[in-house]
Amino acid sequence: MDIKDMTNDEFISHLMTGYNKHGALVQMVVIDCLQRGLDHYISAKEEILEDERKRREDGRISLINMEAWVAFCEDTQQRIEDKYNG
């Protein structure tokens, strides 16, 4: 299957389990990147939510609810902690 035709689920699965010349190292890289991204959003939570409030006050509506975005990041980070550190 062409990667351009894959759903997001299929693509992530392909990244994690498909052939890679570095073997399972790719899984460690993907998890590390995910954790670093989550850490970034969570550490900037107050700034992100304040920016969202200001946009709403100015009458601008984001396509993405940033409160939900940050909550998802926190939930996902907790799930990773539960799996790997619990």
Side-chain angles (χ1 to χ4, degrees), residues 7-65:
T7 65
N8 288 337
D9 285 345
E10 290 168 336
F11 181 63
I12 293 298
S13 179
H14 173 74
L15 286 176
M16 297 290 281
T17 62
Y19 170 78
N20 184 286
K21 68 181 178 180
H22 301 291
L25 181 62
V26 69
Q27 294 178 15
M28 293 172 61
V29 170
V30 170
I31 294 295
D32 183 62
C33 290
L34 178 59
Q35 287 178 305
R36 288 173 188 257
L38 295 170
D39 289 345
H40 165 77
Y41 286 113
I42 292 167
S43 68
K45 174 181 178 174
E46 295 306 319
E47 181 181 336
I48 290 168
L49 296 180
E50 181 60 28
D51 287 347
E52 177 79 0
R53 282 189 282 278
K54 288 179 183 176
R55 282 193 294 273
R56 286 182 187 167
E57 288 172 3
D58 292 342
R60 295 181 288 154
I61 299 172
S62 175
L63 293 175
I64 298 171
N65 178 317

